[in-house]
Amino acid sequence: MTVSQNPEGSGYDLAVVGAGVIGLACAWRAAQAGLSVVVLERDEPGSGASGVAAGMLAPVTEADFGEDALLRLNLDSRGMWPGFAAELEELTGLPSGYSEPGALVVAADRDDAEELRRLHTLQRRLGLDSEWLGPRATRSLEPGLSPRIAGAILAPQEGQVDPGAVVAALAHALVDAGGELCSGAEVIALHTHSGRVTGVRTAAGDTVQASRVLIAAGAWSSEGELGAEAGAPEVRPVKGQLLELRVRRGGSLPASRLVRTPRCYVVGRSDGRVVVGATMEEQGFDTTITADGVFRLLEAAYEVLPDIGELEFVRARAGLRPFTPDNAPVIGPGEIEGLLWATGHGRNGVLLAPLTARRMVEALRGVSTVVSA
Ligand code: FAD
Ligand code: GLY
């Protein structure tokens, strides 16, 4: 890895640790705002949770009891996605996979129906756009659903992207905006002087000077010397196993909408890939694919969409969601001057990328007059 200092030789305005969807989105917006930016990624862009995620933009069907503030963030960011995706696609000529298929949360049986009716009541109380449908109305929308289903919540505004494509487009857009992206650059320590950040040190022994450092290292944000020195917020990994299937020649997607149940979700892509996710496991940094994980996801998807059984099995993957104790992300300045955080996005980091990047630029404006946009 070679990290060049910025052209003036005085260091970068901003060094970002981590090239997931969060670090890249923040870096892109900061570069657009006129900052000299470098992103340091220990592996490859998208090698963390962002490269594994399903890509649902689903604030309504992810809403949970007691998380009203998080819901408002999710809704705000959902509203930003059409413009964010269009700008990214136009600037780079690359796809994002953005679409607005809507979602059905399907009750496989009467027990599920009881649970989902409670969830629907919550959604209505929160003023969300959702509707309860009986089994016949549900199957008229998605004929591939099992005749045994007991109804569904329709959330017509839910969207999706292809997170791998978004990461690739963001990396491209960052470089086009004048930013630098260094793969294979593991950051192991902060440099500080007189109580403020002056840069970072990498595992290869390079020093990267920067007047501000943004830690966007996902589930690893509070790890090691870097996390300890930086006074990291509490972030823990929550493992998610996810299956990738593919429509066979002449076949079609099992559903045109996002289909969810209390046990799984199914996301179809326009190129014929179908994602079935995901487990939620407290297993530390373990990313082992287990027989139990694969079995339960397939069983849950097959229960409501029997055509899943006809698809080609491509691979199973696991990623680590960065979770905070209250499930809300941490976005903004840290305790050391010049240090910023964008981490802890849990189940909704892809959804929250546009809003996080906007807030980060606002935070950068708050600590400096360099940002011009
Ligand atoms: P990451 O993508 O994990 O990126 C962190 C990066 O930092 C990594 O590339 C890592 O290599 C790098 N790094 C770590 N330490 C260092 C270091 N010391 N030096 C340099 N680099 C370092 N969200 C949604 O919105 N919709 C979904 O449908 C969805 N589905 C999901 C399904 C699964 C199975 C999983 C696991 C997650 C899903 N998520 C979803 C959540 C989403 O993936 C995460 O919230 C989001 O990707 C977090 O992005 P990030 O950039 O913070 O972290
Ligand atoms: N938001 C879907 C997941 O985290 O699995």
Side-chain angles (χ1 to χ4, degrees):
M1 184 228 39
T2 333
V3 183
S4 60
Q5 297 296 328
N6 83 344
E8 287 78 40
S10 56
Y12 295 91
D13 295 325
L14 178 66
V16 178
V17 183
V21 69
I22 297 298
L24 287 171
C26 293
W28 174 42
R29 289 305 197 199
Q32 282 184 319
L35 298 187
S36 61
V37 181
V38 62
V39 177
L40 303 162
E41 164 56 50
R42 68 172 171 205
D43 199 338
E44 291 291 329
S47 55
S50 304
V52 177
M56 294 181 293
L57 309 176
V60 175
T61 55
E62 287 277 340
D64 211 343
F65 293 88
E67 293 188 346
D68 299 17
L70 178 59
L71 169 67
R72 298 298 151 202
L73 285 185
N74 289 343
L75 287 169
D76 284 353
S77 204
R78 173 71 188 92
M80 294 171 71
W81 256 105
F84 189 83
E87 185 181 347
L88 202 51
E89 291 185 359
E90 196 181 320
L91 287 176
T92 64
L94 296 171
S96 66
Y98 179 82
S99 66
E100 301 178 347
L104 282 169
V105 192
V106 177
D109 53 29
R110 285 168 67 178
D111 284 346
D112 277 358
E114 290 281 316
E115 180 181 338
L116 294 184
R117 278 197 177 273
R118 279 195 299 276
L119 190 61
H120 181 239
T121 303
L122 170 75
Q123 292 167 349
R124 301 301 296 170
R125 185 168 58 72
L126 293 168
L128 301 175
D129 184 7
S130 73
E131 184 186 349
W132 178 261
L133 302 179
R136 187 181 302 213
T138 306
R139 290 191 70 238
S140 75
L141 291 180
E142 293 291 354
L145 286 167
S146 161
R148 283 194 254 244
I149 63 157
I153 299 168
L154 172 65
Q157 308 289 333
E158 308 284 69
Q160 68 180 69
V161 288
D162 177 346
V166 170
V167 164
L170 283 171
H172 201 295
L174 167 67
V175 173
D176 278 356
E180 281 184 50
L181 176 54
C182 298
S183 296
E186 182 178 11
V187 173
I188 55 167
L190 274 185
H191 279 306
T192 56
H193 184 70
S194 302
R196 71 157 295 134
V197 164
T198 56
V200 294
R201 192 170 77 246
T202 71
D206 293 307
T207 291
V208 180
Q209 290 175 6
S211 51
R212 275 153 298 170
V213 171
L214 164 61
I215 302 185
W220 299 270
S221 295
S222 23
E223 283 302 287
E225 193 186 333
L226 178 66
E229 275 181 333
E234 199 180 324
V235 179
R236 72 183 195 284
V238 175
K239 174 179 173 182
Q241 299 187 53
L242 172 146
L243 313 178
E244 193 178 311
L245 314 176
R246 185 161 48 210
V247 170
R248 289 191 291 169
R249 191 185 294 265
S252 55
L253 291 172
S256 57
R257 293 168 181 75
L258 305 174
V259 170
R260 313 186 66 151
T261 81
R263 292 163 292 285
C264 75
Y265 52 76
V266 178
V267 181
R269 306 214 193 283
S270 57
D271 62 3
R273 280 176 297 152
V274 177
V275 163
V276 179
T279 63
M280 288 280 287
E281 302 171 65
E282 301 273 356
Q283 301 280 345
F285 285 92
D286 170 63
T287 51
T288 310
I289 303 296
T290 63
D292 186 72
V294 174
F295 170 72
R296 285 182 194 282
L297 289 172
L298 279 178
E299 180 185 47
Y302 184 81
E303 183 181 30
V304 291
L305 286 169
D307 290 350
I308 285 281
E310 297 302 317
L311 303 180
E312 178 188 349
F313 187 95
V314 179
R315 59 179 172 169
R317 309 176 73 197
L320 300 171
R321 305 174 183 89
F323 261 83
T324 58
D326 65 0
N327 299 344
V330 178
I331 308 166
E335 282 170 17
I336 303 174
E337 204 184 332
L339 180 69
L340 299 119
W341 295 96
T343 187
H345 292 74
R347 291 177 62 89
N348 291 301
V350 179
L351 169 63
L352 284 167
L355 180 104
T356 303
R358 175 186 286 175
R359 292 220 166 165
M360 190 48 59
V361 171
E362 287 166 2
L364 288 163
R365 279 204 180 97
V367 294
S368 163
T369 54
V370 178
V371 183
S372 56

